């Protein structure tokens, strides 16, 4: 891997990524969408913008989203 790619993965001077907790949601597309809606209704997440877009997961037939808190 190139040095530039490694710097993108783990910026040494940027603590904003390391200070935030993450909740990973993995399941079928419907399960992920339902969990996102449930977290919003239960006020675990106060805004849907805090979720990453739903993307295919590295598991067959699964999708994922990440909640950054």
């Amino acid at each position: 891997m190139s040095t530039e790619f490694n710097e993108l993965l783990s910026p040494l001077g940027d603590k904003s990524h390391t200070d935030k907790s993450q909740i990973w949601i993995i399941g079928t597309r419907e399960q992920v969408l339902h969990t996102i809606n449930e977290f919003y209704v239960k006020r675990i997440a106060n805004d849907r913008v805090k979720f990453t877009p739903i993307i295919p997961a590295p598991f067959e037939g699964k999708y994922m989203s990440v909640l950054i808190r």
Side-chain angles (χ1 to χ4, degrees), residues 32-67:
V32 172
L33 187 57
H34 177 77
T35 304
I36 289 171
N37 290 333
E38 184 178 5
F39 280 13
Y40 180 71
V41 168
K42 290 183 177 180
R43 297 180 188 250
I44 294 170
N46 59 1
D47 193 355
R48 287 186 174 95
V49 169
K50 295 191 178 197
F51 290 94
T52 62
I54 298 175
I55 58 171
F59 312 109
E60 187 176 333
K62 300 292 182 179
Y63 291 85
M64 66 183 282
S65 180
V66 179
L67 168 61

Side-chain angles (χ1 to χ4, degrees), residues 1-12 17:
M1 286 188 203
S2 70
T3 304
E4 296 159 348
F5 184 70
N6 287 334
E7 288 174 1
L8 289 173
L9 287 176
S10 59
L12 298 175
H17 291 93

